[in-house]
Amino acid sequence: MVRARAHQMLDLARAHVLEDWRVDDARLHSTSKYVAQVVRERYPQLDPPFHARWRHFVFNGRDLWLEIDEGRDYPGVEARTRSAFDLAITSVLLDAGAGPDWRYRDEQTGFVVGRSEGLALASLRWFERGGLSDDPSDHLRADAAKLERIDVAALQDALQVTRDNPLTGLEGRAALLNRLGAAMNSRADLFAREDSPRPGGLFDALMVRASDEPGGALPATAILDFVLDGFGSIWQDRPVLANLALGDCWPHPALQSSGMQPAQGYVPLHKLSQWLSYSLIEPLQQSGLRVLDTDSLTGLAEYRNGGLLIDMGVLVPRNPADLTATHSVGSPLVVGWRALTVALLDELAPLVRAELGVSVSVFPLACLLEGGTWAAGRKIAAAKRPGGVPPLTITSDGTVF
């Protein structure tokens, strides 16, 4: 439905129905050439890995999570995978935009890093120190009870937030971790099959699901199913329909008309949930489980992919003043931009593959994002604006971008 509704929005834009955006299809080809160039620069062998949180734990060729993971003697592959799930889930949920001024200074390596990579490094070190564990003998875990007790002061300390090192949405992130803990405590079927409630318990639930599939393989969409089911209650201040909190799913006036069912007027995006789903694929594969059809997930509706399309001239705001205004995340302009980003990433993918001379089987959408559109969006933003800020300014509570 994310993909279907996004392409419906793209059809409306091309029919000049959307009030906020027009699509310049002639710019798609030059955009594909730019992205292909970025892929070649970053991955000369044309072999980018999946776009996942694990990429953000690598600095100057050092995989910091691998260094920690290999130094731990786990009792078995299941315990190792639960630990990886604990890290990935908590780190991804902290991965909303940090703002342009925040930096994390890592005492162990001397690295000073901002934005998404800085949040990844900060969350990794917090996890390594046992900051999310309720078991003094086992630092490399996250426990629901501990997550429920995380307060702003603890998060402020973990992320090195000060008046001179401000971070966007600190309170929202702390509250999100609290709600994550509460959600896990209320769903033993998903998070406490083999252990006390913890994010890594989702691994055991997915293994049960895989056992019901032909050949014991897991469709990638099943991961998203479980993420949306298990974490749906953690999102606050989101649209509600029929007493159900919808999460990253927003109404758009272009879809609403008389006689329509209410749900048809909404655009589901679920950016963090899909980012998390992509990030859980590798631990599952490393545990020996096959994950099928990763291209059934979509591109990510966030400001690097979407910013690329604006900066390359594919998406053009009908009112140029919108590029200097501040917008709410639920505004029609932002919802439309994000939906168009998802649909246009689908159209960009085969163009980039053609430029590179690769097939979809060796270069799926997750590799395009990593190789790829996310990096290209950051690169062109840095060339166009001081600090590499995105072309749109959006008010965020730290739980969407």
Side-chain angles (χ1 to χ4, degrees):
M1 186 54 67
V2 173
R3 176 168 274 116
R5 200 58 53 82
H7 281 274
Q8 184 180 355
M9 291 287 287
L10 181 57
D11 290 342
L12 292 174
R14 285 177 169 149
H16 307 289
V17 173
L18 293 191
E19 294 183 0
D20 299 307
W21 297 101
R22 67 178 180 86
V23 179
D24 186 347
D25 286 309
R27 300 293 299 171
L28 274 172
H29 181 66
S30 58
T31 303
S32 69
K33 292 179 73 69
Y34 182 75
V35 173
Q37 175 187 336
V38 171
V39 173
R40 290 191 181 98
E41 291 171 354
R42 301 181 72 235
Y43 297 96
Q45 303 302 314
L46 307 184
D47 57 351
F50 275 19
H51 189 57
R53 191 54 160 168
W54 308 106
R55 309 289 83 77
H56 292 165
F57 299 135
V58 179
F59 297 88
N60 292 351
R62 288 182 59 184
D63 188 329
L64 300 183
W65 166 242
L66 186 62
E67 292 178 11
I68 296 167
D69 185 49
E70 290 184 338
R72 167 72 184 273
D73 184 19
Y74 294 100
V77 66
E78 295 84 0
R80 182 183 188 186
T81 309
R82 290 185 201 108
S83 182
F85 266 50
D86 283 343
L87 173 60
I89 291 168
T90 53
S91 186
V92 164
L93 293 180
L94 289 170
D95 188 38
D101 302 319
W102 175 83
R103 298 290 185 275
Y104 182 79
R105 291 162 174 80
D106 185 41
E107 294 181 0
Q108 297 184 44
T109 62
F111 297 144
V112 180
V113 195
R115 300 195 178 277
S116 191
E117 289 88 347
L119 289 169
L121 182 53
S123 62
L124 174 65
R125 293 308 189 199
W126 195 21
F127 184 74
E128 181 186 18
R129 292 193 300 270
L132 303 179
S133 172
D134 253 344
D135 184 349
S137 67
D138 185 2
H139 282 188
L140 300 185
R141 61 179 290 135
D143 288 289
K146 183 62 174 285
L147 291 167
E148 282 199 272
R149 299 196 305 271
I150 295 295
D151 58 17
V152 171
L155 193 59
Q156 189 173 13
D157 179 66
L159 302 184
Q160 300 177 351
V161 178
T162 65
R163 181 177 299 178
D164 296 327
N165 192 36
L167 178 75
T168 302
L170 188 68
E171 292 80 6
R173 292 171 214 262
L176 186 64
L177 292 181
N178 298 156
R179 294 193 297 272
L180 172 65
M184 291 185 297
N185 273 324
S186 68
R187 293 295 302 272
D189 59 317
L190 289 182
F191 300 107
R193 285 178 171 269
E194 303 292 339
D195 199 345
S196 57
R198 59 186 290 192
L202 191 64
F203 165 68
D204 300 296
L206 286 168
M207 290 297 289
V208 172
R209 169 63 187 272
S211 68
D212 295 331
E213 295 289 334
L218 191 70
T221 50
I223 303 172
L224 181 59
D225 288 343
F226 275 68
V227 167
L228 292 175
D229 182 23
F231 302 137
S233 64
I234 72 177
W235 310 110
Q236 283 197 339
D237 301 322
R238 297 288 185 270
V240 176
L241 184 65
N243 295 318
L244 180 67
L246 300 181
D248 189 9
C249 178
W250 309 88
H252 195 282
L255 297 176
Q256 298 168 335
S257 63
S258 60
M260 288 178 56
Q261 295 295 321
Q264 292 176 290
Y266 284 78
V267 178
L269 296 163
H270 303 303
K271 180 262 176 178
L272 276 177
S273 295
Q274 291 210 76
W275 171 229
L276 176 55
S277 298
Y278 278 122
S279 297
L280 296 180
I281 290 173
E282 287 171 64
L284 287 168
Q285 291 174 328
Q286 290 163 4
S287 76
L289 185 68
R290 287 191 303 131
V291 178
L292 305 178
D293 198 15
T294 59
D295 263 17
S296 57
L297 301 175
T298 76
L300 300 180
E302 47 82 63
Y303 63 88
R304 289 306 179 199
N305 292 319
L308 170 72
L309 296 170
I310 295 174
D311 284 337
M312 292 298 296
V314 178
L315 287 179
V316 183
R318 294 190 179 277
N319 181 3
D322 284 334
L323 293 179
T324 57
T326 299
H327 308 276
S328 67
V329 72
S331 68
L333 178 135
V334 173
V335 174
W337 168 57
R338 297 179 69 204
L340 293 171
T341 295
V342 170
L344 287 166
L345 286 171
D346 278 347
E347 297 198 353
L348 197 59
L351 298 177
V352 174
R353 292 183 191 116
E355 288 285 341
L356 296 173
V358 295
S359 67
V360 63
S361 62
V362 300
F363 204 89
L365 185 59
C367 295
L368 173 74
L369 297 174
E370 176 61 26
T373 54
W374 193 89
R378 174 178 277 185
K379 180 177 180 179
I380 195 169
K384 283 181 170 286
R385 289 171 295 278
V389 297
L392 283 183
T393 301
I394 301 168
T395 302
S396 173
D397 64 357
T399 63
V400 176
F401 290 101

